[in-house]
Amino acid sequence: MATIQDVAAKAGVSVATVSRVINQSNTVAPKSVNKVRKAILELGYQPNFLARDLRRAETNRVLVLLQSISNPYYATIVKGIEDVAQKHNYSIMLCNTDSEITREKTYIDLLGKKVVQGAIFLDTEMTSEEINLLVRDNHIVFCCEYRPGTQVSHVMIDNYSAAKTMVRHLIAQGHKEIALIAGDRHLASTDQRYRGYLDALEEAGLQVRKPWIFWSEESSFKMGIRAVENFLYLKEHPTAVFAMSDILAIGSIRAIHNHGLRVPDDIAVAGFDGIEYSAASVPSLTTMVQPSYDMGGLAMEMLIRKMKDGETQNKEVVLEHELVIRESTSQTAGQGRNR
């Protein structure tokens, strides 16, 4: 693929002259313009207008790094980020990493090249050491996730307490055989929710059964189905399932129905996040609601203070979570709410 340097060499002009011709500057002599245009055609050179436009927008653009925008939980966070960004004349660059470190670092390079002014991480595959090196020279905020050992401002909920509250709710409904569909192992929130699950069972004197813990490769509908399929193939299956995301929980409900069983009569199901679809599932899903829109907005406000005001102090903001009890765990639930 031809470069701008190749065009300059073939036309016998400087790279700066080629750049001026591409940008339609009127300061280049007609003879040189013709040489450059001819060289571009002969070499098949294609200018990277996107990179040019990004450089021009560097002063008001921020990077938002996430695992997958297909997860409706992330979509609500992003809306909160974008709404606050627009109020302050910033735009966002949304980057899906698919949990691939090489892809993630390609996007992060935009920080070093000053294509973006700052970044909000909803997820990262980087180590704590790599993050601490990156934050020395860049404006970064974590949202909904946080990597222990890093010196980064962040906004999140108390995932440990939230998970413990959910398991206690299931126990209060009479369940003693409670399975867990866990999330991505590398996320701090997964570890915190896992510990909340274990401690709630231990405090109630209930046994932790390893076959009833399913580690999901991703937070998706299909993984929820796969988890419940695994549980139902066991000689003894659980009477309740706690999924670490609503998408996993909704997949679980589908799998239970596919086996001719009923929710919550045969197996109760509880989720986590509070996405819009949780109220529309059949039956409606009991879930732990995260204030995702507010988290996104606060994260953007924190980043703006770093970019505009040079704020260097790292802050932790922990927002409240809310247990919403619906039909998937209690037939008489209605819309019960507990904090």
Side-chain angles (χ1 to χ4, degrees):
M1 181 180 293
T3 65
I4 192 170
Q5 289 80 9
D6 296 331
V7 174
K10 189 170 184 64
V13 299
S14 67
V15 170
T17 297
V18 176
S19 179
R20 293 190 192 101
V21 173
I22 291 171
N23 290 288
Q24 299 181 349
S25 171
N26 57 8
T27 61
V28 183
K31 185 177 180 179
S32 296
V33 170
N34 291 334
K35 286 182 179 180
V36 171
R37 289 177 176 171
K38 183 180 179 182
I40 288 175
L41 287 172
E42 291 179 356
L43 293 173
Y45 173 67
Q46 295 182 344
N48 191 341
F49 292 112
L50 175 59
R52 180 199 66 187
D53 292 342
L54 290 178
R55 285 192 293 272
R56 289 176 176 175
E58 64 179 276
T59 57
N60 68 340
R61 188 182 295 267
V62 298
L63 185 73
V64 178
L65 207 67
L66 73 168
Q67 192 177 56
S68 174
I69 193 60
S70 63
N71 188 330
Y73 167 64
Y74 283 144
T76 307
I77 293 177
V78 170
K79 185 163 191 329
I81 293 171
E82 188 170 30
D83 285 353
V84 172
Q86 288 187 348
K87 289 179 182 178
H88 293 270
N89 298 316
Y90 283 88
S91 61
I92 67 171
M93 178 188 293
L94 200 59
C95 300
N96 286 276
T97 67
D98 289 332
S99 297
E100 295 177 6
I101 187 62
T102 303
R103 189 171 179 179
E104 181 177 327
K105 288 186 175 181
T106 298
Y107 292 132
I108 290 171
D109 282 345
L110 298 175
L111 279 166
K113 294 176 181 177
K114 304 305 178 185
V115 172
V116 293
Q117 191 175 348
I120 297 176
F121 287 7
L122 275 62
D123 180 25
T124 181
E125 295 291 324
M126 289 191 297
T127 64
S128 299
E129 292 76 13
E130 289 174 320
I131 294 168
N132 284 330
L133 283 173
L134 186 66
V135 79
R136 288 180 185 177
D137 301 312
N138 298 283
H139 303 301
I140 296 172
V141 170
F142 273 93
C143 180
C144 76
E145 289 293 339
Y146 177 64
R147 184 63 58 83
T150 57
Q151 303 300 314
V152 185
S153 292
H154 55 281
V155 55
M156 57 191 295
I157 67 164
D158 185 341
N159 285 282
Y160 171 82
S161 174
K164 200 172 184 181
T165 297
M166 181 61 81
V167 177
R168 283 174 171 171
H169 162 67
L170 293 172
I171 293 171
Q173 295 296 308
H175 296 286
K176 296 181 179 180
E177 296 83 27
I178 303 171
L180 175 71
I181 306 178
D184 194 326
R185 289 175 185 262
H186 87 282
L187 297 177
S189 61
T190 296
D191 177 66
Q192 292 157 4
R193 295 173 196 178
Y194 178 61
R195 288 190 292 107
Y197 163 80
L198 295 179
D199 287 353
L201 292 181
E202 183 179 353
E203 288 177 7
L206 299 178
Q207 183 180 0
V208 177
R209 302 191 186 185
K210 289 187 177 180
W212 289 355
I213 299 175
F214 181 92
W215 292 95
S216 175
E217 298 173 4
E218 59 184 26
S219 183
S220 66
F221 182 79
K222 67 179 181 180
M223 291 303 294
I225 292 177
R226 186 180 301 175
V228 169
E229 294 284 354
N230 280 16
F231 298 150
L232 294 179
Y233 283 134
L234 298 173
K235 185 176 180 179
E236 294 183 2
H237 63 70
T239 64
V241 172
F242 170 38
M244 285 194 186
S245 79
D246 287 345
I247 293 298
L248 288 169
I250 293 170
S252 300
I253 291 174
R254 170 58 66 84
I256 292 168
H257 288 168
N258 288 347
H259 280 261
L261 300 174
R262 295 170 298 173
V263 177
D265 301 64
D266 299 306
I267 302 177
V269 176
F272 203 109
D273 288 338
I275 65 172
E276 185 177 359
Y277 301 128
S278 64
S281 68
V282 181
S284 57
L285 179 66
T286 291
T287 184
M288 186 62 67
V289 177
Q290 296 197 68
S292 51
Y293 180 86
D294 292 340
M295 280 198 291
L298 282 171
M300 188 65 212
E301 289 174 358
M302 293 165 76
L303 183 60
I304 289 171
R305 287 195 292 272
K306 287 181 177 294
M307 295 186 298
K308 278 191 172 182
D309 304 331
E311 184 179 273
T312 57
Q313 182 181 359
N314 292 318
K315 295 183 177 180
E316 177 185 71
V317 178
V318 181
L319 299 182
E320 289 188 344
H321 51 268
E322 183 179 18
L323 171 61
V324 177
I325 301 170
R326 298 195 180 107
E327 298 165 340
S328 68
T329 61
S330 174
Q331 291 178 324
T332 60
Q335 292 293 317
R337 291 174 181 265
N338 296 280
R339 287 184 184 272

